[in-house]
Amino acid sequence: MTGGRATPQPKTSPPLADRVARNTGLRIAAELVGKLAGILLFAVMARELGRQGFGDFVFVATLGLLITMLGGLGSDDIVPRAVATGEADVERVTWDALGLKAVCGLVLLAAALSVGLAGGYETEVIVTLALVGVASLIDLFTATFSAVFQGLSDLAPEATGRILQLSLRAAAGVGV
């Protein structure tokens, strides 16, 4: 209360609150499924590959993660804001982000392959590194489309895609 008058509280419209709650629930579900699939994948890999094989797997997975983390240069934080505020054309922002990721991701993939070759890893590990690197690039690109959906306040396609992606990745890893 200020001077005997109640300060008006901003009200969130029910449709917006429902959409936020739904999007949050979908995002949480996608992350939980992804984490559980990842735990399963690492457990099977550790058991089946042994110490040396699992070490090679972790090396490849780490370099793939670096490509994914560094390849976008923060563009996935810019795209949703630009889409949501209407500051820029959605198509232009999307293509700019994809172009940035393609250039940076390919440079990082080349660097990762160079590290693998310089480290004297077996051909099988280098080929796996190349495959994981390409998968990381695809992951980078799909994150751009997720950022667009986030800007449009519709996380249902993104969450569904993330659940499918992480589940299929774990299933493929366990299968291989």
Side-chain angles (χ1 to χ4, degrees):
M1 300 242 312
T2 314
R5 299 180 70 176
T7 306
Q9 296 295 322
K11 290 191 175 188
T12 305
S13 64
L16 177 60
D18 291 346
R19 192 170 62 218
V20 168
R22 184 198 72 176
N23 287 341
T24 301
L26 288 169
R27 188 68 183 245
I28 290 170
E31 291 299 323
L32 285 174
V33 169
K35 298 301 180 207
L36 291 174
I39 289 170
L40 176 65
L41 174 63
F42 271 79
V44 170
M45 291 296 203
R47 185 170 184 92
E48 295 295 321
L49 296 178
R51 179 175 271 171
Q52 178 65 38
F54 187 67
D56 291 341
F57 169 74
V58 170
F59 168 73
V60 168
T62 301
L63 286 179
L65 181 62
L66 284 174
I67 292 170
T68 305
M69 287 175 53
L70 300 176
L73 294 177
S75 62
D76 292 333
D77 295 330
I78 297 168
V79 171
R81 182 181 176 279
V83 170
T85 60
E87 290 177 0
D89 178 43
V90 174
E91 188 175 326
R92 185 183 59 79
V93 170
T94 303
W95 282 108
D96 287 350
L98 290 171
L100 173 73
K101 289 178 176 188
V103 170
C104 292
L106 289 172
V107 167
L108 289 166
L109 177 57
L113 290 171
S114 298
V115 167
L117 290 169
Y121 285 90
E122 297 175 9
T123 305
E124 184 178 62
V125 174
I126 300 299
V127 169
T128 304
L129 180 57
L131 291 172
V132 167
V134 169
S136 296
L137 288 174
I138 293 169
D139 203 27
L140 272 175
F141 298 148
T142 59
T144 299
F145 297 107
S146 295
V148 170
F149 283 122
Q150 182 182 359
L152 296 171
S153 295
D154 185 7
L155 295 183
E158 190 264 341
T160 303
R162 186 110 174 110
I163 288 171
L164 287 172
Q165 172 200 13
L166 295 173
S167 299
L168 290 173
R169 181 189 298 167
V174 168
V176 169

